[in-house]
Amino acid sequence: MGVHVVVVYRPKPGQAKALVDEVRGHVPELRRLGLATSEPSLALQAADGSVVEHFEWISEEAMRTAHEHSDVQAMWSRFEACCEYGTLGSLVNADDLFAEFEFLGRF
């Protein structure tokens, strides 16, 4: 069994579309590199435009390896150009009992 993670991305001004495009390609690229499982990722959007992504690394070792992989570093640079990272607790609806999100897709 892999390692499930949830990531929050906050788009920079004017970068919402670029961010969603990066999220669409994120896990497929990690899979291509042998770092993510075949389980589809789940991407949701909060009311403030933040994107929440859930996916599964194949292992903790894969997570560590990603930090040293040039293709992953290039991908993360593209993410940094269009977003800032946030936490689940910082989402505008984090305190809602039934937090609602817009479905963006499974990738």
Side-chain angles (χ1 to χ4, degrees):
M1 188 158 174
V3 179
H4 291 263
V5 295
V6 177
V7 186
V8 175
Y9 310 103
R10 296 192 185 289
K12 291 181 178 178
Q15 296 297 312
K17 182 184 179 323
L19 173 58
V20 172
D21 289 344
E22 286 300 325
V23 170
R24 281 191 172 109
H26 178 223
V27 174
E29 177 70 3
L30 293 177
R31 277 190 209 108
R32 183 186 72 76
L33 299 170
L35 301 171
T37 69
S38 61
E39 281 297 313
S41 63
L42 173 64
L44 305 169
Q45 191 164 44
D48 69 350
S50 295
V51 175
V52 179
E53 180 187 38
H54 164 266
F55 69 96
E56 184 180 19
W57 294 98
I58 61 168
S59 65
E60 287 187 26
E61 176 65 25
M63 289 185 344
R64 285 190 295 276
T65 300
H67 290 273
E68 300 167 6
H69 200 290
S70 61
D71 289 350
V72 175
Q73 293 298 316
M75 180 173 41
W76 288 349
S77 290
R78 293 191 306 272
F79 268 94
E80 290 173 7
C82 63
C83 76
E84 295 177 354
Y85 297 94
T87 63
L88 288 173
S90 69
L91 289 169
V92 295
N93 53 347
D95 292 332
D96 295 351
L97 184 59
F98 295 98
E100 294 183 22
F101 297 88
E102 177 184 341
F103 177 75
L104 295 177
R106 294 185 188 274
F107 310 106

